[in-house]
């Protein structure tokens, strides 16, 4: 029997396969495809204090090896999450991480308080949201703002605290260090890259119709950026790292483990293959067995020549 379990600084997963926020709803959406409780964990869609309708107009744009989305953090809001979604996750015995979004430090603090009172074991803080009070800069682009946000959440929330970094920065190392030194238990990376989809169509009356979709790029095409970010984060912090970005095969998982990820999240690929997570989990098990190793930890050591 191969031991696929992971212990992320006290937060335990039965395997390293997690689904990424925004691509897995609140889990029941995937019931027809897989037994979700077999996953290491799922990350919920971003949850904000108030419900959000998200953006109007075109929200998705398919591009080479990926997609651009501008969903705009549509979500049911924290009250409905606690009253309606949380009982289902508990009934089905699904290990989950709550993804938090906000546009001011106060928003995040309120959400962290609710998470703490509801006994939620793990939260992932999405810091790619615009900080309205600081002129719409993202929290995740400035080490001081990120440090302040992390320490304020840490004062209230005692569970497993993951800070999810955005790749839209020059110096990811400083941001990771700031999250770690202000109390984060884990870093997850990366969120989507800023991208623009442009579609030009010639209409029957010989005019040109232009569509622009400015949003977050995800999927296979971002994997090299994500691998580079994870490797750089690994060289600057001691806390565990969850690697995210363009994972669609077990080979991708091996690459992320090699550069320093302790667990991984799969996002966009779920839309193409809703059972990809379980397939990868089984293949990972087989690879470990074929190498005559006993556990995921053994595999990580071998990949990293430790
Ligand atoms: C449609 C869509 C919605 C997303 N919504 C969120 C979100 O609410 N919160 C968040 O932290 N990340 C969100 N993300 C980012 C993903 O969780 C993930 O970080 C990113 O897509 C990279 O992984 P992938 O290439 O495997 O999709 C979203 C991504 C997509 C494609």
């Amino acid at each position: 029997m191969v031991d696929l379990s992971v212990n992320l600084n006290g937060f335990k997963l039965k395997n390293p396969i997690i689904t990424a926020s925004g691509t897995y709803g609140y889990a029941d959406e995937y019931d027809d495809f897989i037994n979700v409780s077999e996953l290491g964990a799922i990350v919920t869609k971003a949850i904000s204090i108030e419900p959000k309708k998200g953006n109007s107009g075109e929200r998705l744009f398919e591009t080479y090896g990926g997609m651009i989305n501008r969903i705009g953090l549509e979500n049911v809001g924290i009250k409905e999450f606690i009253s309606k979604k949380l009982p289902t996750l508990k009934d089905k015995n699904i290990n989950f991480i709550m993804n938090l979004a906000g546009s001011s430090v106060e928003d995040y603090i309120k959400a962290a308080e609710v998470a703490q009172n509801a006994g939620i074991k793990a939260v992932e803080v999405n810091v790619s949201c615009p900080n309205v009070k600081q002129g719409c800069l993202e929290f995740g682009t400035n080490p001081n703002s990120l440090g302040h946000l992390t320490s304020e959440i840490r004062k209230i929330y005692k569970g497993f605290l993951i800070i999810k970094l955005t790749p839209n920065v020059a110096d990811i190392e400083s941001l990771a260090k700031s999250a770690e030194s202000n109390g984060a238990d884990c870093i997850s990376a990366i969120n989507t890259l800023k991208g623009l989809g442009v579609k030009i169509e010639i209409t029957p009356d010989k005019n040109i119709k232009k569509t622009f979709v400015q949003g977050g790029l995800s999927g296979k095409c971002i994997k090299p950026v994500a691998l580079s970010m994870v490797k750089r984060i690994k060289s600057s912090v001691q806390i565990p790292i969850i690697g995210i970005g363009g994972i669609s095969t077990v080979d991708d998982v091996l690459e992320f483990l090699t550069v320093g990820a302790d667990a991984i999240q799969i996002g966009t690929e779920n839309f193409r293959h809703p059972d990809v997570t379980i397939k990868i989990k089984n293949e990972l098990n087989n690879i470990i067995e074929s190498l005559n190793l006993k556990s995921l930890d053994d595999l990580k050591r071998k990949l990293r020549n430790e």
Side-chain angles (χ1 to χ4, degrees):
M1 278 289 281
V2 169
D3 176 10
L4 283 179
S5 68
V6 188
N7 186 344
L8 297 173
N9 256 351
F11 181 60
K12 292 181 185 152
L13 311 174
K14 58 179 101 160
N15 60 67
I17 314 294
I18 308 173
T19 56
S21 179
T23 65
Y24 226 70
Y26 304 97
D28 31 354
E29 290 84 345
Y30 280 80
D31 273 352
D32 289 345
F33 302 102
I34 63 163
N35 177 359
V36 180
S37 68
E38 279 184 39
L39 297 174
I42 70 140
V43 184
T44 66
K45 172 72 189 152
I47 296 169
S48 51
I49 282 290
E50 298 300 332
K52 277 191 196 291
K53 285 200 173 135
N55 291 323
S56 54
E58 300 234 12
R59 291 169 148 209
L60 296 176
F61 187 97
E62 228 176 295
T63 185
Y64 299 114
M67 63 184 259
I68 295 170
N69 89 80
R70 50 179 296 279
I71 304 291
L73 298 177
E74 175 185 348
N75 76 93
V76 296
I78 205 155
K79 270 198 199 132
E80 186 169 327
F81 173 74
I82 299 288
S83 64
K84 299 215 174 111
K85 307 289 182 186
L86 187 58
T88 315
L89 288 164
K90 284 187 174 162
D91 280 354
K92 293 186 178 161
N93 203 18
I94 293 169
N95 198 23
F96 71 94
I97 298 165
M98 182 176 175
N99 184 280
L100 294 187
S103 48
S104 65
V105 175
E106 293 73 24
D107 280 356
Y108 283 100
I109 289 178
K110 277 190 213 154
E113 228 161 34
V114 178
Q116 175 65 24
N117 294 337
I120 291 183
K121 280 196 260 167
V123 302
E124 178 180 67
V125 183
N126 175 2
V127 293
S128 307
C129 312
N131 181 352
V132 174
K133 288 207 172 151
Q134 286 186 2
C136 275
L137 272 179
E138 288 173 11
F139 284 100
T141 57
N142 177 312
N144 294 332
S145 309
L146 182 65
H148 176 60
L149 179 68
T150 308
S151 69
E152 290 301 306
I153 296 174
R154 183 75 289 175
K155 281 183 202 158
I156 289 169
Y157 182 66
K158 307 299 172 206
F160 189 67
L161 177 60
I162 307 167
I163 299 291
K164 179 171 182 180
L165 295 182
T166 167
N168 301 310
V169 294
D171 181 6
I172 194 90
E173 290 89 343
S174 301
L175 290 149
K177 280 184 195 157
S178 173
E180 180 181 51
S181 62
N182 284 284
D185 297 309
C186 179
I187 302 283
S188 61
I190 57 176
N191 209 318
T192 53
L193 282 150
K194 282 192 176 139
L196 175 66
V198 181
K199 190 162 141 199
I200 307 287
E201 289 161 281
I202 299 178
T203 61
D205 57 353
K206 311 235 179 299
N207 272 322
I208 289 185
K209 182 179 170 223
K210 292 171 272 183
T211 310
F212 299 100
V213 179
Q214 174 86 56
L217 178 66
S218 65
K220 291 178 190 210
C221 58
I222 71 166
K223 188 183 74 172
V225 178
L227 284 168
S228 161
M229 294 275 171
V230 168
K231 190 165 188 293
R232 288 167 60 190
I233 295 167
K234 178 73 181 168
S235 69
S236 46
V237 297
Q238 302 297 317
I239 52 179
I241 302 166
I242 301 175
I244 322 167
I247 298 177
S248 65
T249 67
V250 73
D251 290 343
D252 297 334
V253 176
L254 298 183
E255 292 166 21
F256 274 87
L257 295 177
T258 304
V259 298
D262 296 284
I264 56 92
Q265 290 180 16
I266 300 176
T268 303
E269 190 62 16
N270 290 304
F271 297 139
R272 280 166 27 103
H273 297 114
D275 58 350
V276 63
T277 43
I278 297 295
K279 182 170 174 275
I280 289 183
K281 185 198 81 158
N282 294 336
E283 288 172 356
L284 191 59
N285 188 90
N286 296 346
I287 287 174
I288 295 174
E289 240 170 26
S290 72
L291 288 167
N292 287 332
L293 300 173
K294 290 200 164 47
S295 66
L296 180 73
D297 285 340
D298 289 346
L299 176 66
K300 278 184 204 161
R301 280 189 284 271
K302 194 168 176 81
L303 289 168
R304 297 176 194 170
N305 298 325
E306 287 171 2

